[in-house]
Amino acid sequence: MKLYNLKDHNEQVSFAQAVRKGLGSQQGLYFPLELPEFELTEIDRLLKLDFVTRSAQILGAYLGDEFSEETLKKRIGAAFTFPAPVAKVEPDIYSLELFHGPTLAFKDFGGRFMAQMLQEVAGGEPVTILTATSGDTGAAVAHAFYGLENVRVVILYPRGKISPLQEKLFCTLGGNIQTIAIEGDFDACQALVKQAFDDEELKTAIGLNSANSINISRLLAQVCYYFEAVAQLPQEARNQLVVSVPSGNFGDLTAGLLAKSLGLPVKRFIAATNANDTVPRFLASGAWQPHATVATLSNAMDVSQPNNWPRVEELFRRKIWQLKDLASGAVSDTVTKDTVREMAMLGYISEPHAAIAYRLLRDTLQPGEFGLFLGTAHPAKFKEVVEEILQREISLPAELAERADMPLLSHTMQPDFAQLRTFLTQKA
Ligand SMILES: *Cc1c(COP(=O)(O)O)cnc(C)c1O
């Protein structure tokens, strides 16, 4: 698979190089040179396969020139050790539950596949994973790489701006996992990561690698669960499907659009955001005007400068799709709370991120259409918020309950690159 740098189309790399490097020069994102497409009969055949077998074949369409189907199946099998079930919420609205992995959020899929592929291509050389998280990526990355040989993981997160349970989940591991609470917001963390990647000397010295949503391997893994959703939906939903994606950095939406470009039948996507609504405002007005990031109940979506957006635009350009066909909307915290309550009355306990996607779907679905929203996190992952909204207790799954009593092992740091650099060059 060849990929090019969106900032410099002459810079082309293989998938193996893209996985290792994360970002290209000038912090450019990598984007596939070829956009494979399955015939309709192929799609039908794929939809009948089991999740892992199908996913290996989907990835084979991109990666077949670099890895055998057997290797891909082995790696996918080691990454996707849990299901992605579809649950019915209303007669014509379904939830794709992506939270049955070890850290109870969709980022387990991308994080674990990336860890597998990095191990596949690293050839035993030492690697430092540096990533910024607004909540869930950190946990997924930490758990995906925990205990892997020759890999050091350093995770930055905004101090006090992620849920206490989220923090417990990835800041209590120790070993090859180091966590730093930055005195700033997520964008400040992301800026530090970008600075590190601009520092060529540092990059080579520690084998710097990114594992957040900008790594192409994560996106390819995420493409697979859109197929898994359609495979489970009633046949009549297939050509009338509207998919609503709760969005922060827009990795999940990019993956969904890639699934569509492979030929998966999706009538329309909805880009759903909270008050950090740079994209919905852009789609309405044509002007890209990020505001300062604001804290919301759906904190994993508190991103005002979504880093995958250039990929979305590139895909639309390449496929000659119209951005006006991308639906979008922003949902306030007040409406989010109401929606979590309404979903509970329908018998479905959800959490703020998925509720935002459900809300926009419900409000815009046309007769005859079927709706699917991504259930990006388990409600227990946002226990405090959900309990407060619903005025009832949410029990913790065993994975979280075990970690809740363990001590935090995080360092704290000002958003100062010099300090971070020193930390990174010291021995782990
Ligand atoms: C990361 C995250 C999102 C946003 O996903 P992006 O790919 O960054 O758009 C939504 N919901 C939850 C629970 C998340 O953790």
Side-chain angles (χ1 to χ4, degrees):
M1 180 193 196
K2 281 264 173 289
L3 302 107
Y4 57 95
N5 180 342
L6 289 182
K7 292 268 179 74
D8 172 8
H9 291 205
N10 291 322
E11 182 192 332
Q12 293 190 2
V13 294
S14 65
F15 175 78
Q17 288 169 314
V19 169
R20 265 195 297 257
K21 292 173 70 163
L23 281 167
S25 63
Q26 304 164 64
Q27 301 158 8
L29 301 165
Y30 289 120
F31 193 86
L33 194 59
E34 305 285 342
L35 293 171
E37 248 177 88
F38 293 114
E39 305 274 332
L40 255 166
T41 50
E42 273 291 279
I43 297 280
D44 282 340
R45 187 187 62 78
L46 285 168
L47 290 175
K48 293 192 187 98
L49 302 175
D50 69 88
F51 190 22
V52 169
T53 307
R54 181 195 316 116
S55 298
Q57 293 188 17
I58 292 167
L59 294 178
Y62 288 106
L63 305 176
D65 60 335
E66 285 182 63
F67 308 95
S68 68
E69 197 177 310
E70 195 191 335
T71 300
L72 290 174
K73 194 167 177 189
K74 189 183 87 193
R75 292 295 177 179
I76 278 282
F80 295 4
T81 51
F82 45 90
V86 163
K88 193 188 262 195
V89 177
E90 288 190 59
D92 53 355
I93 298 186
Y94 298 79
S95 166
L96 174 60
E97 296 188 341
L98 300 171
F99 48 73
H100 297 286
T103 71
L104 309 179
F106 81 86
K107 293 184 177 79
D108 282 329
F109 286 97
R112 290 167 65 85
F113 180 64
M114 153 139 197
Q116 288 296 320
M117 293 316 281
L118 199 79
Q119 199 177 44
E120 179 72 32
V121 303
E125 278 172 46
V127 177
T128 302
I129 305 289
L130 176 67
T131 188
T133 183
S134 54
D136 281 345
T137 336
V141 167
H143 283 264
F145 286 96
Y146 183 52
L148 282 196
E149 253 173 63
N150 290 324
V151 186
R152 175 188 181 193
V153 178
V154 179
I155 300 171
L156 312 185
Y157 63 99
R159 180 160 183 237
K161 295 199 174 71
I162 69 174
S163 90
L165 273 163
Q166 273 178 332
E167 193 173 18
K168 285 283 186 184
L169 198 50
F170 70 100
C171 302
T172 54
L173 289 167
N176 64 330
I177 312 296
Q178 295 178 303
T179 52
I180 308 179
I182 299 290
E183 307 278 5
D185 62 14
F186 173 68
D187 289 328
C189 298
Q190 203 151 255
L192 285 170
V193 170
K194 286 191 168 170
Q195 270 180 291
F197 276 94
D198 268 352
D199 188 330
E200 291 301 329
E201 195 190 319
L202 178 71
K203 220 161 133 180
T204 335
I206 63 172
L208 201 56
N209 194 294
S210 158
N212 68 14
S213 58
I214 59 185
N215 195 290
I216 192 72
S217 63
R218 296 176 48 90
L219 294 184
L220 294 188
Q222 289 169 245
V223 167
C224 302
Y225 53 63
Y226 286 90
F227 282 79
E228 175 66 2
V230 174
Q232 291 173 63
L233 288 172
Q235 186 80 28
E236 65 265 31
R238 288 197 185 164
N239 286 308
Q240 289 296 326
L241 184 61
V242 181
V243 179
S244 185
V245 184
S247 296
N249 269 316
F250 284 75
D252 239 340
L253 184 72
T254 308
L257 292 165
L258 284 172
K260 184 178 165 80
S261 97
L262 279 166
L264 189 72
V266 178
K267 191 173 169 189
R268 168 168 89 247
F269 282 93
I270 303 174
T273 74
N274 60 28
N276 296 287
D277 59 352
T278 308
V279 166
R281 283 186 294 108
F282 171 71
L283 291 172
S285 74
W288 186 260
Q289 287 170 330
H291 296 160
T293 310
V294 295
T296 72
L297 291 174
S298 46
N299 63 37
M301 289 154 58
D302 291 351
V303 181
S304 57
Q305 308 204 39
N307 56 20
N308 270 299
W309 186 253
R311 281 183 171 135
V312 173
E313 289 199 336
E314 182 70 353
L315 187 57
F316 273 79
R317 191 185 69 79
R318 292 272 308 274
K319 300 295 284 190
I320 325 177
W321 292 341
Q322 302 289 318
L323 268 179
K324 68 171 172 47
D325 295 331
L326 178 58
S328 71
V331 175
S332 70
D333 274 357
T334 311
V335 174
T336 302
K337 283 186 202 169
D338 288 344
T339 308
V340 170
R341 282 185 211 110
E342 286 170 29
M343 293 170 89
M345 285 194 286
L346 291 167
Y348 194 73
I349 305 297
S350 193
E351 53 72 46
H353 304 78
I356 286 174
Y358 166 77
R359 179 70 187 213
L360 292 170
L361 192 56
R362 193 200 74 184
D363 288 353
T364 59
L365 203 67
Q366 301 299 307
E369 290 181 338
F370 284 81
L372 178 82
F373 63 94
L374 302 200
T376 44
H378 193 291
K381 196 147 191 178
F382 298 92
K383 184 174 162 35
E384 291 90 345
V385 172
V386 176
E387 286 184 340
E388 202 198 292
I389 296 172
L390 294 180
Q391 295 294 313
R392 77 159 91 150
E393 267 201 46
I394 303 289
S395 59
L396 278 185
E399 297 93 313
L400 279 180
E402 273 171 28
R403 300 235 146 246
D405 299 328
M406 296 184 183
L408 294 173
L409 303 170
S410 295
H411 306 258
T412 38
M413 200 180 277
Q414 292 298 318
D416 171 16
F417 180 61
Q419 281 184 49
L420 178 64
R421 198 179 195 283
T422 307
F423 181 90
L424 290 172
T425 48
Q426 284 161 358
K427 268 228 158 303

